[in-house]
């Protein structure tokens, strides 16, 4: 490909709305352009990388026997209503009506669709297991799209689904996808972690996420050298909450004017935050939930949703809470509250004589005690884990790292098959619901995640496997006939074996070098002042010094050096060495 004919509009300026490095570089490098909030056009460079990512993902799916299909993006509301997710999925689901006033959604995922398709086709245990996948656009109406392609409203995803007649069969396929996802990440050449994950709106009994490590990743991961790793939504720790031996004191309501936050209450009453119990009102499918947690901890909404089996649970709106309960949110508490289910974190169980909101403006209760002053419906682990807490498996201190999720696998069980009446006939003639698995990979997210991990001050550093081009040929002047003739010869030679970009623009050498570094092409072949001695310069994207190669008699040495350098090319190791410095 000749750069003079290639549509790759690079930019010098940093885009105003770029929040993280990958967003900035993909725009500056001419890979993407913003169409609307969370919606992007992929230009030729971006499309080329996407296709290479897709091909790696597709190859690994086919290697484990998964078969490719293509399902419609627009899905009828009926199948989502049948599964119960039409309302449960939440406001992220993009809904629309056709001219006949029928409800549809732009699919955020395809569990309902695939189950509806196969239930009339797969009828016997003899046809199982079956695994099907697609690579297609998905849609989620993110409340605040951000980080470029990492959290977009329209995105490209590989989603696969498997159908089984036993848990053992599901386990085998789950492990195959797990290994295939590791293979994908190895081929992409990035540093990653596999972590235990919350199943969220997808549901199911078990899930793992595949996270690309990144300094400014949107996921927080807690891990241990023993092998334990989990997202902050799922993470647990080994914590022992001591039972207080205090004698119960008399309940008392005290004035706390304009004191609403935990910090304010602690300062005003001159107590530690661990003597305060936070009261958070949530609204769910079945009504109001008051969640209690010790004042020095943060509540984990994902754990609460999982416990209550209700993905619609959200924090109550202040105005609605004031209208229904007659009090501002800063003074909500469990003493005297009516018509709520009270769920408490384990950290609350052993405290005595603690402080809660007084259910009246500018007041708090002190010397509150469980059972005497109010009852708790259920205790559970509702805490966000903190760095340094003890690993639940080995007891060592947990470490914290940031990551970007690119893949997730789920054991769905019979959640969808039962609700959608998808049954098969067993060997003894009985009807049973399919046991299912679900396996997602964010293709367009992978684009951003790799840039977020593999870049330096000059631009992107693509792994060779998905680089838009492997080699760029740069003559320093298009006005010197000898340079141009040799550049043409080398281009025609190399393009037979490699993916090559020939920068034939009539531009300054510095401009061309900066563009090559910004775009992130693994190797440069430069025809410059050394050509007077019959030599070209060969240099990897991140190398400081070039290798001079004589081409006066043949190109054999050049081909050998290019092969040698591309085989040693490893952005991950290079960037790790920089971090150590």
């Amino acid at each position: 490909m000749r750069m003079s004919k290639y549509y790759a509009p690079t930019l010098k300026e940093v885009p105003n709305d770029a929040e993280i490095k990958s967003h900035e570089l993909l725009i500056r490098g001419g890979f993407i352009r913003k169409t609307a909030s969370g919606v992007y056009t992929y230009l030729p460079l971006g499309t080329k990388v996407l296709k290479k990512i897709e091909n790696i993902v597709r190859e690994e799916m086919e290697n484990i026997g998964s078969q490719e299909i293509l399902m419609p993006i627009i899905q009828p509301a009926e199948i989502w209503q049948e599964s119960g997710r039409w309302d449960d999925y939440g406001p992220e689901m993009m809904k629309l009506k056709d001219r006949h006033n029928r409800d549809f959604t732009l699919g955020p995922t395809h569990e309902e669709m695939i189950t509806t398709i196969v239930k009339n086709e797969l009828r016997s245990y003899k046809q199982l297991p079956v695994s099907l996948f697609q690579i297609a656009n998905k849609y989620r109406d993110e409340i605040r799209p951000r980080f470029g392609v990492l959290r977009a409203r329209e995105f490209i995803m590989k989603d696969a689904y498997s159908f089984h007649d036993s848990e053992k069969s599901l386990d085998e396929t789950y492990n195959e996808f797990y290994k295939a996802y590791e293979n994908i990440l190895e081929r992409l050449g990035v540093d990653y972690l596999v972590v235990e994950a919350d199943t969220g709106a997808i549901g199911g009994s078990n899930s793992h996420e595949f996270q690309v490590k990144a300094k400014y990743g949107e996921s927080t991961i807690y891990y241990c050298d023993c092998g334990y790793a989990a997202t902050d939504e799922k993470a647990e720790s080994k914590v022992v909450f001591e039972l207080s031996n205090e004698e119960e004191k008399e309940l008392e309501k005290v004035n706390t004017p304009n004191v609403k936050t935990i910090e304010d209450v602690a300062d005003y009453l001159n107590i530690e935050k661990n003597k305060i119990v936070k009261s958070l009102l949530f609204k769910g499918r079945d009504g109001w939930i008051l969640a209690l947690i010790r004042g020095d901890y943060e509540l984990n909404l994902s754990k609460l949703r999982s416990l209550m089996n209700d993905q619609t649970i959200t924090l109550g709106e202040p105005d609605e809470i004031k209208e229904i309960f007659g009090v501002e949110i800063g003074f909500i508490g469990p003493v005297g509250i009516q018509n709520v289910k009270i769920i408490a974190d384990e950290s609350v169980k052993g405290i005595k004589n603690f402080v809660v909101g007084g259910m009246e403006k500018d007041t708090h209760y002190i010397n509150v005690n469980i059972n005497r002053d109010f009852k708790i419906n259920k205790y559970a682990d509702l805490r966000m884990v903190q760095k340094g807490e003890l690993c639940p498996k080995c007891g060592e201190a947990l470490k914290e790292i940031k990551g970007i999720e690119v893949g997730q696998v789920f054991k769905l069980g019979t959640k969808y098959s039962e609700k959608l009446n998808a049954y098969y006939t067993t060997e003894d003639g009985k009807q049973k619901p399919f046991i299912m698995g679900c396996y997602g990979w964010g293709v367009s997210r992978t684009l951003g995640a790799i840039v977020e991990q593999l870049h330096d001050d000059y631009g992107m550093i693509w792994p060779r496997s998905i680089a838009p081009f492997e080699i760029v040929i740069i003559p320093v002047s298009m006005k010197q006939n000898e340079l141009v003739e040799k550049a043409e010869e080398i281009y025609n030679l190399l393009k037979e074996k490699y993916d090559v970009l020939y920068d034939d623009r009539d531009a300054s050498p510095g401009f061309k070098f900066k563009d090559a570094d910004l775009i992130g092409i693994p190797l440069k072949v430069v025809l410059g002042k050394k050509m007077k001695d019959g030599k070209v310069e060969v240099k990897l994207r991140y190398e400081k010094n070039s290798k001079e190669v004589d081409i006066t008699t043949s190109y054999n040495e050049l081909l050998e050096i290019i092969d040698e350098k591309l085989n040693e090319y490893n952005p991950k190791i290079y960037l790790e060495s920089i971090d150590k410095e």
Side-chain angles (χ1 to χ4, degrees):
M1 179 59 68
R2 297 174 184 272
M3 191 66 165
S4 60
K5 304 294 184 183
Y6 200 61
Y7 186 57
T10 57
L11 303 173
K12 290 182 180 179
E13 302 80 15
V14 176
N16 292 331
D17 61 347
E19 299 174 277
I20 55 176
K21 204 66 179 178
S22 58
H23 189 193
E24 172 201 326
L25 292 175
L26 286 170
I27 291 176
R28 286 187 55 223
F31 286 71
I32 63 173
R33 287 294 182 266
K34 183 177 176 179
T35 301
S37 178
V39 182
Y40 291 88
T41 295
Y42 292 88
L43 304 184
L45 284 168
T47 300
K48 197 167 186 193
V49 175
L50 276 178
K51 294 300 180 187
K52 290 187 176 185
I53 295 170
E54 283 183 15
N55 287 339
I56 289 174
V57 172
R58 180 176 286 109
E59 287 170 8
E60 292 300 331
M61 293 300 95
E62 292 175 346
N63 285 344
I64 60 173
S66 196
Q67 304 167 61
E68 187 166 9
I69 62 173
L70 187 59
M71 291 180 278
I73 291 167
I74 188 168
Q75 302 181 35
E78 289 83 0
I79 59 176
W80 286 79
Q81 290 164 348
E82 199 174 344
S83 74
R85 289 208 299 170
W86 183 254
D87 296 317
D88 277 11
Y89 204 93
E92 287 76 22
M93 178 183 281
M94 286 191 170
K95 298 177 180 179
L96 65 150
K97 290 182 182 289
D98 69 5
R99 67 178 66 194
H100 303 293
N101 207 37
R102 292 176 299 204
D103 288 314
F104 290 87
T105 179
L106 296 180
T109 183
H110 276 68
E111 285 80 11
E112 284 81 1
M113 179 64 72
I114 191 69
T115 307
T116 302
I117 290 168
V118 305
K119 73 177 184 179
N120 296 318
E121 310 289 347
L122 295 178
R123 296 187 176 90
S124 170
Y125 73 96
K126 294 179 180 178
Q127 297 172 282
L128 304 175
V130 169
S131 168
L132 304 167
F133 79 94
Q134 67 168 351
I135 298 175
N137 283 22
K138 294 281 193 295
Y139 297 86
R140 289 178 192 159
D141 194 7
E142 297 283 355
I143 189 170
R144 182 174 169 260
R146 60 190 190 277
F147 305 147
V149 297
L150 292 182
R151 189 169 286 278
R153 297 162 74 193
E154 179 183 64
F155 52 97
I156 302 168
M157 185 175 174
K158 186 282 302 176
D159 49 320
Y161 308 90
S162 62
F163 298 83
H164 309 268
D165 63 350
S166 69
E167 294 290 346
K168 179 183 178 184
S169 175
L170 171 60
D171 289 346
E172 289 171 353
T173 298
Y174 188 91
N175 292 335
E176 286 176 351
F177 273 92
Y178 190 111
K179 180 60 179 173
Y181 279 19
E182 288 186 317
N183 291 345
I184 291 168
L185 288 161
E186 292 294 338
R187 291 177 65 179
L188 293 175
V190 291
D191 200 7
Y192 68 94
L193 272 175
V194 185
V195 303
E196 294 178 16
D198 180 60
T199 57
I202 302 295
S205 61
N206 197 13
S207 181
H208 288 87
E209 284 182 3
F210 295 76
Q211 295 267 356
V212 172
K213 296 179 183 179
K215 185 180 292 186
Y216 299 107
E218 58 182 351
S219 297
T220 301
I221 299 164
Y222 293 99
Y223 71 100
C224 179
D225 294 337
C226 74
Y228 175 77
T231 63
D232 58 354
E233 295 177 331
K234 180 74 173 177
E236 300 174 356
S237 63
K238 190 180 291 184
V239 179
V240 177
F241 299 109
E242 295 182 1
L243 297 175
S244 172
N245 57 8
E246 293 181 41
E247 288 191 11
E248 293 185 1
K249 299 178 182 179
E250 185 177 349
L251 179 67
E252 184 180 349
K253 183 182 278 191
V254 296
N255 288 323
T256 51
N258 298 314
V259 175
K260 297 180 181 181
T261 69
I262 293 297
E263 290 74 16
D264 291 343
V265 173
D267 290 343
Y268 188 84
L269 297 177
N270 194 28
I271 57 173
E272 297 294 327
K273 288 194 289 185
N274 61 10
K275 290 290 286 183
I276 304 169
V277 170
K278 280 192 277 194
S279 304
L280 302 168
L281 261 177
F282 292 89
K283 192 174 184 180
R285 188 191 305 115
D286 299 323
W288 291 92
I289 300 163
L290 185 68
L292 307 181
I293 191 166
R294 213 170 74 183
D296 54 339
Y297 290 125
E298 295 298 323
L299 186 127
N300 187 323
L301 179 56
S302 295
K303 288 183 179 179
L304 179 62
R305 286 173 171 170
S306 178
L307 175 72
M308 305 304 293
N309 193 28
D310 183 359
Q311 292 298 315
T312 69
I313 291 175
T314 53
L315 194 62
E317 291 293 331
D319 290 345
E320 187 178 10
I321 288 173
K322 188 172 183 181
E323 180 182 344
I324 293 174
F325 296 95
V327 62
E328 295 179 9
I329 57 172
F331 304 101
I332 285 287
V335 180
I337 197 168
Q338 300 293 319
N339 302 316
V340 301
K341 183 174 287 186
I342 300 179
I343 309 296
D345 180 63
E346 299 286 354
S347 62
V348 174
K349 188 179 290 186
I351 315 178
K352 288 187 177 180
N353 302 317
F354 53 87
V355 175
V356 298
M359 290 302 291
E360 183 183 346
K361 187 178 180 182
D362 293 337
T363 68
H364 280 78
Y365 282 110
I366 63 173
N367 302 327
V368 179
N369 289 282
I370 298 167
N371 293 327
R372 185 194 70 180
D373 302 318
F374 68 95
K375 304 291 184 185
I376 288 174
N377 295 102
K378 184 182 288 188
Y379 287 99
D381 173 18
L382 300 177
R383 289 187 317 115
M384 295 291 292
V385 165
Q386 297 176 356
K387 180 182 177 182
E389 291 182 354
L390 302 184
C391 172
K393 289 190 174 180
C394 74
E396 293 297 315
L398 288 172
K399 302 173 185 177
E400 182 182 292
I401 195 171
K402 291 290 186 178
I404 299 168
E405 177 207 337
V406 290
Q408 188 168 6
V409 291
F410 303 82
K411 291 182 181 179
L412 299 177
T414 58
K415 172 180 177 178
Y416 295 95
S417 54
E418 285 183 341
K419 290 182 177 180
L420 293 163
N421 297 310
Y423 293 86
Y424 69 96
T425 304
T426 66
E427 188 174 5
D428 56 4
K430 295 180 180 179
Q431 292 284 298
K432 285 191 174 182
F434 293 109
I435 298 169
M436 293 174 58
C438 168
Y439 319 89
W441 188 278
V443 174
S444 48
R445 279 178 66 86
T446 301
L447 182 84
I450 289 174
V451 176
E452 198 60 39
Q453 184 180 108
L454 302 180
H455 70 267
D456 61 12
D457 292 340
Y458 305 103
M460 296 163 271
I461 312 179
W462 290 107
R464 182 183 176 185
S465 60
I466 59 167
F469 297 95
E470 295 171 283
I471 301 169
V472 57
I473 298 168
I474 304 176
V476 297
S477 173
M478 294 302 292
K479 293 182 172 64
Q480 297 180 37
N481 291 335
E482 183 185 0
L483 293 187
V484 174
E485 288 173 8
K486 284 297 182 183
E488 291 280 353
E489 286 182 19
I490 293 170
Y491 173 57
N492 289 323
L493 173 69
L494 295 182
K495 72 179 182 179
E496 297 300 317
K497 184 178 179 182
Y498 304 101
D499 203 350
V500 183
L501 179 65
Y502 173 26
D503 195 345
D504 60 342
R505 295 175 296 176
D506 188 12
S508 70
F511 185 81
K512 293 182 179 183
F513 294 152
K514 286 180 179 178
D515 268 2
D517 285 344
L518 174 61
I519 292 169
I521 300 171
L523 185 137
K524 300 186 194 77
V525 177
V526 180
L527 293 85
K529 60 183 180 181
K530 298 293 181 180
M531 276 297 295
K532 69 179 186 296
D533 300 320
K535 295 179 180 180
V536 297
E537 298 168 77
V538 180
K539 178 183 175 184
L540 290 177
R541 161 65 176 78
Y542 47 73
E543 285 184 317
K544 292 181 179 179
N545 301 313
S546 301
K547 172 81 173 179
E548 296 177 11
V549 183
D550 194 307
I551 58 169
T552 50
T553 56
S554 79
Y555 292 120
N556 290 339
E557 185 183 0
L558 176 62
L559 292 173
E560 289 176 7
I561 295 298
I562 287 173
D563 267 347
E564 179 184 306
K565 283 194 170 291
L566 285 176
N567 286 333
E568 73 181 46
Y569 177 72
N570 194 321
K572 183 172 69 172
I573 291 177
Y574 159 68
L575 290 168
E576 285 173 353
S577 68
I578 290 180
D579 289 341
K580 289 177 183 177
E581 292 174 5

